[in-house]
Amino acid sequence: MCGFRPFFLATALCAVLLLLIWLGFLAAGLGVPAVPGGAVVWHAHELMFGFGLAAVAGFLLTAVPEFTATPAFGRRTALGMFLLWTAARLAFWLSGTLGLTGAVLAAVLNVGFLGALIAIVAPRLWRDPERRHLAFLWGLGAMWIALAGFHADALGGAYPMRWVRVGVGVMMVLIVVALSRISMRIVNDALDAERLRRNGGTSRRHAEDDELPDYRARPPRRNLAIFGVALYTVVEFVLPGSVIGGWVALAAAAAVLNLLNDWHVGRALLSRWAFMLYAVYWLMAAGYALIGLSLLGAPVIPSAGLHLLTVGAMGVSIFGVLCIAGRTHAGHELDLRPWVLVAAAGLVAAALARAASGLPGMPVLGLQAVSVAAWVLGYGLAARYLGTVFVGPRPDSGTGCEEVLSEA
């Protein structure tokens, strides 16, 4: 029915499968799919360009029609894109076994999948009279360059991880762009609920309501954060491991923290959905801060900060999108059951444990195992409780991909 359904379900299931395979590799030396570059390359590629892009595709195939006031993409489009994504996964997993032919096929399918996504959404984003959402298009274009660069390096026999790091930077930018849209509703809904609480359950405005102005995701703060993240990504690519990159990473962290100044709206921030999105930015800022400190000589390996970005900011934000956009566009109200908090806490714990494994004197393998277990808990709960939503019929009177309709 809608593009988010197969892609969001695949996102949750893929998150569990990938990390269970990785835990088997870390704990027992079990084999992972043989790909050019080795096990770490497979792990990084699939989390960024498999799991991550599945979530991006599901979000954009649903959000772009809404953002541009255009009809939903048809079932054939959703099915074709999902089959292409699946074929790209299989080709990459078999690329080491099939030799050069497999590597070429994996490159064509993976790069082709993202190229097809761009071709599908670009006309609508460009033709939108106000062109308010072109940032998604520029982000997808940058991600396509990162993915193409990865496979070009792999085919040329070079170690392709530098392009995964570019992909991480692009993903952080896409997260900032997407959350600026999602947060406008989530935080303002929390503010409305707080006003109702203050007013004893009535919608009548009181003078003290002026203390709770509407939340706005202000472009200057957002653009500064995007610029900081993009600048660090470029500097790290051109001058890997440099002191300059360390200072720019700290600047990126500061820019993300500055963005959070728009979020300080009082008690409403403590609602589960607003605070979950708020935590994404803290994880992102902490990730760039740790990377910066590492490059400036602090006793912490850069991957500690990198995993705060991937396991933390990316993992929690994608989970939030699955819960918020996935449920509402499937005709369901937001889920207020305890499992959401347990899953979100598990993902944050996974990020913190993985980052802690990069600190001196810490039990590396033990913390990595804890991180994987917490991640699998979080996305396992998502697969359990959201999976039935993504494959089931709408419970409201809606028939398409629109948000939940009130029965009143």
Side-chain angles (χ1 to χ4, degrees):
M1 182 186 295
C2 304
F4 75 88
R5 289 177 176 265
F7 277 111
F8 281 3
L9 179 61
T11 297
L13 294 176
C14 192
V16 175
L17 175 63
L18 290 176
L19 267 294
L20 285 177
I21 294 174
W22 191 241
L23 179 61
F25 173 77
L26 293 176
L30 299 180
V32 300
V35 301
V40 174
V41 169
W42 170 82
H43 170 68
H45 181 281
E46 287 305 280
L47 279 177
M48 180 53 53
F49 301 125
F51 161 79
L53 287 187
V56 169
F59 175 77
L60 289 179
L61 289 175
T62 306
V64 167
E66 180 181 8
F67 291 160
T68 58
T70 54
F73 294 110
R75 297 188 182 198
R76 289 185 178 180
T77 298
L79 178 60
M81 288 299 297
F82 183 69
L83 291 177
L84 184 55
W85 176 86
T86 303
R89 306 279 58 72
L90 293 174
F92 184 69
W93 286 39
L94 295 173
S95 59
T97 304
L98 299 179
L100 179 60
T101 300
V104 170
L105 181 61
V108 169
L109 290 174
N110 278 278
V111 175
F113 164 74
L114 187 50
L117 179 62
I118 293 172
I120 289 170
V121 302
R124 300 196 187 195
L125 292 172
W126 190 260
R127 292 170 187 163
D128 181 34
E130 298 183 13
R131 293 184 178 175
R132 294 172 297 173
H133 307 289
L134 283 181
F136 287 112
L137 184 56
W138 310 141
L140 287 177
M143 187 67 82
W144 186 90
I145 292 173
L147 186 55
F150 177 97
H151 284 282
D153 272 7
L155 287 171
Y159 193 59
M161 282 295 291
R162 60 177 181 157
W163 293 105
V164 174
R165 295 186 180 93
V166 173
V168 171
V170 176
M171 183 65 76
M172 295 303 109
V173 169
L174 286 172
I175 288 171
V176 172
V177 173
L179 291 198
S180 70
R181 273 70 171 174
I182 298 171
S183 65
M184 289 286 287
R185 172 178 175 180
I186 294 300
V187 178
N188 283 311
D189 282 352
L191 285 168
D192 288 342
E194 177 61 12
R195 293 186 187 104
L196 283 174
R197 186 192 68 81
R198 290 188 177 190
N199 298 337
T202 68
S203 58
R204 184 178 57 188
R205 291 187 68 88
H206 289 232
E208 57 267 27
D209 287 348
D210 293 336
E211 301 173 7
L212 294 175
D214 289 341
Y215 162 80
R216 293 289 182 267
R218 293 177 174 84
R221 296 187 192 275
R222 179 173 71 249
N223 292 339
L224 180 61
I226 290 172
F227 176 76
V229 170
L231 181 61
Y232 166 74
T233 303
V234 171
V235 170
E236 177 60 23
F237 184 81
V238 176
L239 301 171
S242 71
V243 172
I244 296 174
W247 289 113
V248 176
L250 291 180
V256 174
L257 289 176
N258 176 62
L259 187 155
L260 285 177
N261 285 323
D262 288 337
W263 288 67
H264 298 149
V265 295
R267 180 170 176 169
L269 182 60
L270 300 180
S271 67
R272 68 169 61 191
W273 306 111
F275 194 77
M276 187 187 303
L277 302 183
Y278 181 73
V280 169
Y281 285 133
W282 270 104
L283 290 164
M284 189 181 298
Y288 282 113
L290 271 186
I291 290 173
L293 292 173
S294 173
L295 293 175
L296 293 175
V300 55
I301 60 176
S303 66
L306 182 64
H307 282 92
L308 281 180
L309 300 179
T310 53
V311 179
M314 184 174 76
V316 176
S317 63
I318 288 176
F319 173 75
V321 168
L322 265 59
C323 289
I324 296 170
R327 279 187 63 90
T328 57
H329 284 278
H332 292 258
E333 298 288 351
L334 293 178
D335 199 326
L336 300 180
R337 290 175 291 180
W339 77 265
V340 174
L341 298 179
V342 173
L347 296 176
V348 173
L352 296 178
R354 186 60 182 83
S357 70
L359 301 177
M362 301 300 287
V364 175
L365 292 180
L367 285 171
Q368 288 181 354
V370 168
S371 176
V372 172
W375 172 279
V376 169
L377 170 66
Y379 272 104
L381 288 171
R384 163 64 178 83
Y385 289 102
L386 294 175
T388 54
V389 170
F390 299 150
V391 301
R394 294 180 63 108
D396 61 354
S397 58
T399 58
C401 308
E402 67 269 23
E403 293 188 8
V404 58
L405 300 178
S406 173
E407 298 291 345

